[in-house]
Amino acid sequence: MHEGSWGISHTRVPTESRPGHVALIAGFYEDVSAVAKGWKENPVEFDSLFNQSKYTWSWGSPDILSMFAKDASGNHVFTYCYDADNEDFGAKDATKLDTWVFDNIKEFFHAARNNQSLFSKLNEDKVVFFLHLLGIDTNGHAHRPTSREYKDNIKLVDKGIKEIVSLLKEFYGNDEKTAFVFTSDHGMTDWGFHGAGHHSETFTPFVAWGAGVKYPQKASDQQFNDELLKGWKLEYWKRQDINQADIAPLMASLIGVPFPLNSVGILPVNYLNNTDVFKAESMYTNAKQILEQFKVKMTQKKEVTLPFLFTPFNLLSDYKQLDILRKVRSFIKQENYDEAVILCMELIHLSLEGLSYYHTYDRFFLGISVLLGFVGWASYVSLLIIKTHSSLTRSVSKEVKKPSHLLLCSFVAIGILMTFFLLIQACPWTYYVYCLLPVPIWYAVLKEYQVIQDLVTSLCTFPPRHFVGSLLAFALGIEVLVLSFFYRYMLTAGLIIFACWPFTTQLWTRAKNISMSWIFFCLLLAVFPLMPVVGRKPDIFLVMGAGLLVLLLSLFVVTSLIKTKDSFLNDQLLLHLFQMLSTVLSMWAVYSTHNSLLKKQGLPLTNQVVSWIILATSFVVPLLSPRNLLERLFSILVSSMSTYLLLSTGYEALFPLVLSCLMFVWIHMEQETLQQSGVSWKQKVTSIYFSYNTDITQFRQLCMDDIRRAYFLVFFLVIAFFGTGNIASINSFDLASVYCFLTVFSPFMMGALMLWKIFIPFVLVMCAFEAVQLTTQLSSKSLFLMVLVISDIMALHFFFLVKDYGSWLDIGTSISHYVIVMCLSIVLVFLNGLAQLLTTKKLRVYGQPKSHLI
């Protein structure tokens, strides 16, 4: 309101520290692949404002400062960092991170008065001082943005900035040659997280004042889609929004250095308090700099593309480029600066559009390759299921024909031609994967032409109404799963439909108690997708309640064991008592850590050690339990719950317990349905044992009802993700979940722990699925292959929904959906192996007598 210009800086996804700072200081939006480096190292070298400056001094986090000093040419970028261990979310006072920066700058300028060499450097032109203030972000994660700690940190930063501004003015003798820029790398949600594309994450403040910056301007009618102006009481002061990458060229212009080489930012001339000719010339330089990137990108693409296949970007031909540049020079010469700036803006927008065009030049070609790969893989797996696990084709044809050599030669020729085509165009290695992978897959599909022929013949004998009805039901089921990624309540609708399943069969009359249990737990689980997202409303007492329920359940099992006269009773009792002790310790660790952090005493070492021990033993303890189906599953549940309690912050602690109850009922329900399918063999669930070496002679062929079983598994896996309060976005994960294990910022370790929290419900579902396969006499391979087909169809669906236009929220969400479903397909393989290990492996304690299972 008094001496600066301001607006909203709009960031892009992912709204993380690393890409945000690259956009601010280098002027471009880096590739998302940098996430694999933990936002600390960039996969490619890049130019920055710091590199272009005469000298840069920076203070703050080692994660951020080091990446801009590493690739700077010459010895002119100086960094002063605190220790990485100071970035502690459980610290007594996270404001010390900002206090450290302010104190060190004051000491630095005080020392400069007695150091002639440093003093002369500081009085050079084109000097940058960078203050990285991490305290607000740390307090936001630890206490949430609505907390007193967060607001106190803001006051401290405001006070610190005021002191630093006064310090600089005094040091430079009030020469009014210093420009100040205040902004942020990203925003934050109300529940203390960031990474996705919500407005609270992509809207960041931008305030500039000092040398070369325009003074505040009055504005009567400002049209913005948000209510921010009214809330800030600034509706009569001109707000000038910019993109985050635009800040780099603005800073370069303010200190008179070249724009960073890789910058795609557009100079916001309305912020400059300078002559019209300076603004026009600066925009002309900005336009030429971005145009040059376009020309380089076009040349690179042209050199590696066959001439008859190359299609140039017609909106910006060589003639158009020269014509615009000539007109701009003419307008500047005629002192028609406004027209020159408008033409420069047009050239910049065309250049950026052309850059995007050449960046996505191969999109259609790669999209077709991916589509062929998806469809081919799903087709091959489907044929493999039909050929080896069903009797659908066996009744039609018993004659097996070998594929002709012509088919093999044709696909080898296609592969060779595709390789030569990619070599000529100097394509990256990823192109070979996308383009060559469909070749062997489709050869494997067409090699089974006899199976395809038999399948078509079999399908022709099906009643059309029955076939179309089954197809529509399958398509509807897939759509419900897809829609659940957008609307979590679709899972509630799905569970209500599942609750009606016994009424559509004879289960309601033949197994009423089991059916009632199924309906009850389906409806109880249906409540969870309607609950708020995890982390937004933490409640430690719900976590304690979940622990008490686990203890009561364990106590019931222990009393049941005591009543039985088992020769291995002592071993089982000891195991259950140990698991109950683990649960009690988990509850104590959660409660104690919560209180310690509230008192700002940090994470106690004892709690940390206990938490890690419980996590480690949760993998081993279930392997000591008997391989009886129900006992082993219960042991896996209790061990998993001990870890899950440590990773919970609210109602989600109850979710695995309810899910597991439904899984136990599902096992009984599936065994009951087995009799309806005409299978006479039926064994009591209590007398079934998991076996490492399964007798394959007991396996039966697949039937139509097995498609439902496979769908049930996929549905339960999806609800295992969304039911715990997650949303299909990176910002749904709450860092408070890992505070029992560590509070010092460590992206990979924290990420691994949060992933394990997601995996625990998955593991419980997969272990139950192993039991379903055993009770229904199905090979794990057959049902697992059916699940892969369903997940691949979903992945293909989301592949077509991925977008790179519209709001950043839409773009980020579409990418998140696709990544989650693709990971599901991959993780299923890992989870299947883990579930088999947990259910079939038996560890023997030294000296324990061997037992024989019949």
Side-chain angles (χ1 to χ4, degrees), residues 301 304-312 357 361-362 365 421 425:
K301 183 53 64 179
V304 297
T305 307
L306 295 171
F308 64 90
L309 291 176
F310 183 73
T311 308
Y357 172 79
Y361 189 82
D362 297 321
F365 170 64
F421 176 74
Q425 300 206 112

Side-chain angles (χ1 to χ4, degrees), residues 497-691:
I497 294 169
F498 280 15
C500 300
W501 172 43
F503 299 109
T504 62
T505 63
Q506 297 177 16
L507 286 167
W508 179 250
T509 54
R510 289 176 46 189
K512 203 159 192 173
N513 290 337
I514 295 171
S515 298
M516 288 288 288
S517 301
W518 170 263
I519 293 166
F520 173 75
F521 285 114
C522 275
L523 295 177
L524 187 58
L525 195 65
V527 175
F528 284 91
L530 302 176
M531 300 288 279
V533 173
V534 160
R536 301 190 189 183
K537 291 182 180 178
D539 191 338
I540 199 73
F541 295 105
L542 285 175
V543 180
M544 295 295 104
L548 285 173
L549 285 174
V550 173
L551 286 175
L552 287 172
L553 202 59
S554 300
L555 201 62
F556 173 75
V557 172
V558 167
T559 51
S560 301
L561 273 174
I562 292 170
K563 289 177 183 177
T564 62
K565 294 180 180 179
D566 197 323
S567 57
F568 302 108
L569 176 62
N570 291 335
D571 294 331
Q572 292 177 49
L573 275 176
L574 281 173
L575 188 67
H576 282 296
L577 289 172
F578 178 80
Q579 289 182 314
M580 289 175 73
L581 177 64
S582 294
T583 305
V584 171
L585 285 172
S586 294
M587 293 168 67
W588 168 79
V590 170
Y591 190 76
S592 173
T593 302
H594 178 74
N595 285 340
S596 179
L597 293 177
L598 277 180
K599 295 173 184 175
K600 297 183 180 178
Q601 295 174 351
L603 172 61
L605 181 62
T606 308
N607 296 31
Q608 192 174 19
V609 171
V610 166
S611 298
W612 283 106
I613 290 172
I614 290 170
L615 175 64
T617 55
S618 67
F619 296 98
V620 180
V621 172
L623 305 181
L624 297 171
S625 64
R627 281 194 294 222
N628 177 280
L629 188 144
L630 293 180
E631 285 192 44
R632 177 58 67 94
L633 290 180
F634 182 76
S635 180
I636 292 168
L637 167 64
V638 178
S639 291
S640 300
M641 279 300 297
S642 298
T643 304
Y644 202 82
L645 290 172
L646 293 169
L647 294 166
S648 298
T649 60
Y651 74 86
E652 81 272 18
L654 296 163
F655 177 79
L657 204 54
V658 178
L659 179 66
S660 296
C661 290
L662 183 61
M663 293 299 99
F664 278 112
V665 178
W666 183 34
I667 294 165
H668 285 87
M669 289 283 284
E670 291 295 357
Q671 199 195 29
E672 288 294 334
T673 58
L674 196 64
Q675 287 189 334
Q676 293 184 32
S677 60
V679 179
S680 57
W681 179 84
K682 182 184 174 183
Q683 193 177 359
K684 286 185 177 180
V685 174
T686 51
S687 61
I688 298 175
Y689 286 80
F690 287 111
S691 176

